[in-house]
Amino acid sequence: LLSEILTTSIGGVPLKKRLMKLSSVYVLIDECEKAHQKDPTGNKKGVVSNNFRTNRSKSRISRRRLSLAKNQASARMHAEFMNMHPLPVRMPKYAEFSLPKDPQHGLSLKFTNDRWDGTVKDAFCKITVVPLYDKILKTCPSKTHPGVLNVLSEGHMTPESIDSRIDIEKGRVILKSINQECGRQGVMRGDVVTHLDDEEFKGNAVDLVKAIEEKAKKGGGEQNKFTLVFNAEQSIAEALKRRSNVSW
């Protein structure tokens, strides 16, 4: 008889299966009631206490402070590294300029002549041009600067390496005044012109202006443009090579 009752279906669902479903529902209700019962401390089980929220908030603050401390330590280490391994004050640059529509009116760019003393130290000397007086001012680091001495001596810290020459004194052309195209491309007064249209330039400021004007008369290259490379100098290349040797 019991077997017949259990196999009897209502609406197509056997009684045994219906009882199993009901029992699972009762278990779920019982678990919910237990979760909302209060523990001896007065907090409801299954409910996040204020102490837990406070501890979680403190944990977030601790993680932020730890992250900030790590960032500050990383910034200090980077600053110390750069102080002992400084980059040259002038880095190589590539810029594109429009040829003048009327060469008779001249270029908006102005150039002037300068001399390189043949030392690698020149890579760390800031060149300032005063257009009004057509003066060139050079600010070089102290001979006791630890970072420059470290790079130039390749870690040996020998003072005589500061003024050592790698070539004879030579002339060069630097940028005296700039235009909007220069500003957009990061070119500044005092940058040294080393290449014109991807070819090494050898000459003075007058020769450079004439070469650009000749290109303008011929119509120039693609879209009437010409290119200049700045600061790809022997001293810069040597300084970067020595820096890489001492950085590892």
Side-chain angles (χ1 to χ4, degrees), residues 133-205:
Y133 302 102
D134 201 19
K135 289 184 64 176
I136 300 172
L137 305 176
K138 295 180 184 178
T139 307
C140 295
S142 168
K143 291 185 178 182
T144 58
H145 189 291
V148 174
L149 186 59
N150 180 48
V151 171
L152 295 182
S153 66
E154 296 185 82
H156 299 295
M157 305 302 284
T158 50
E160 57 270 16
S161 61
I162 288 285
D163 294 316
S164 62
R165 295 173 182 264
I166 57 172
D167 206 339
I168 60 172
E169 186 175 315
K170 293 180 179 180
R172 60 185 176 185
V173 178
I174 63 175
L175 195 58
K176 182 171 70 172
S177 66
I178 61 176
N179 57 19
Q180 289 183 350
E181 287 181 306
C182 290
R184 287 195 296 267
Q185 299 178 84
V187 179
M188 301 181 294
R189 284 198 295 265
D191 282 337
V192 180
V193 180
T194 54
H195 295 74
L196 171 62
D197 283 342
D198 300 329
E199 294 183 3
E200 185 179 1
F201 175 76
K202 296 180 179 180
N204 56 31

Side-chain angles (χ1 to χ4, degrees), residues 1 9 15 20 28 37-38 42 57 66 98 102 114 147 157 163 170 173 183 191 212-213 219 226 244-246:
L1 180 61
S9 62
L15 177 61
M20 289 175 65
L28 179 60
Q37 287 177 358
K38 289 187 176 180
S57 177
L66 180 61
S98 300
D102 185 3
D114 186 37
M157 305 302 284
D163 294 316
K170 293 180 179 180
V173 178
D191 282 337
I212 296 173
E213 289 177 348
F226 72 96
S244 67
N245 290 339
V246 79

Side-chain angles (χ1 to χ4, degrees), residues 1-242:
L1 180 61
L2 179 61
S3 175
E4 290 179 1
I5 293 173
L6 291 175
T7 55
T8 304
S9 62
I10 299 177
V13 180
L15 177 61
K16 185 177 181 180
K17 192 171 184 180
R18 293 202 310 276
L19 290 173
M20 289 175 65
K21 284 187 176 181
L22 285 172
S23 63
S24 63
V25 171
Y26 292 141
V27 170
L28 179 60
I29 292 172
D30 185 53
E31 288 178 353
C32 289
E33 288 178 349
K34 287 180 179 179
H36 286 81
Q37 287 177 358
K38 289 187 176 180
D39 62 16
T41 62
N43 292 323
K44 288 185 177 180
K45 291 181 179 180
V47 178
V48 178
S49 67
N50 290 332
N51 290 336
F52 177 76
R53 292 194 183 95
T54 302
N55 292 335
R56 188 168 58 179
S57 177
K58 288 181 179 179
S59 177
R60 282 199 300 266
I61 294 172
S62 298
R63 286 197 298 269
R64 289 173 186 169
R65 288 177 177 172
L66 180 61
S67 176
L68 180 61
K70 286 182 178 179
N71 292 337
Q72 290 175 341
S74 177
R76 281 196 300 270
M77 290 177 62
H78 178 72
E80 291 171 0
F81 177 84
M82 292 303 295
N83 185 55
M84 290 302 296
H85 305 84
L87 288 166
V89 294
R90 300 183 308 278
M91 292 294 285
K93 303 171 186 175
Y94 177 92
E96 190 176 77
F97 301 94
S98 300
L99 285 167
K101 295 180 180 179
D102 185 3
Q104 299 296 327
H105 289 83
L107 289 168
S108 59
L109 297 174
K110 302 297 179 185
F111 307 96
T112 190
N113 296 314
D114 186 37
R115 302 289 295 178
W116 171 48
D117 61 4
T119 66
V120 184
K121 180 185 69 175
D122 180 77
F124 299 97
C125 296
K126 182 180 179 181
I127 301 175
T128 305
V129 182
V130 185
L132 184 61
Y133 302 102
D134 201 19
K135 289 184 64 176
I136 300 172
L137 305 176
K138 295 180 184 178
T139 307
C140 295
S142 168
K143 291 185 178 182
T144 58
H145 189 291
V148 174
L149 186 59
N150 180 48
V151 171
L152 295 182
S153 66
E154 296 185 82
H156 299 295
M157 305 302 284
T158 50
E160 57 270 16
S161 61
I162 288 285
D163 294 316
S164 62
R165 295 173 182 264
I166 57 172
D167 206 339
I168 60 172
E169 186 175 315
K170 293 180 179 180
R172 60 185 176 185
V173 178
I174 63 175
L175 195 58
K176 182 171 70 172
S177 66
I178 61 176
N179 57 19
Q180 289 183 350
E181 287 181 306
C182 290
R184 287 195 296 267
Q185 299 178 84
V187 179
M188 301 181 294
R189 284 198 295 265
D191 282 337
V192 180
V193 180
T194 54
H195 295 74
L196 171 62
D197 283 342
D198 300 329
E199 294 183 3
E200 185 179 1
F201 175 76
K202 296 180 179 180
N204 56 31
V206 174
D207 297 332
L208 179 58
V209 172
K210 285 182 178 179
I212 296 173
E213 289 177 348
E214 283 297 320
K215 291 180 179 293
K217 290 177 183 177
K218 294 178 182 178
E222 185 180 355
Q223 298 179 348
N224 289 328
K225 302 279 187 179
F226 72 96
T227 61
L228 291 175
V229 174
F230 300 92
N231 309 321
E233 308 168 74
Q234 190 176 347
S235 60
I236 304 291
E238 182 65 23
L240 291 173
K241 185 186 80 172
R242 294 186 185 185

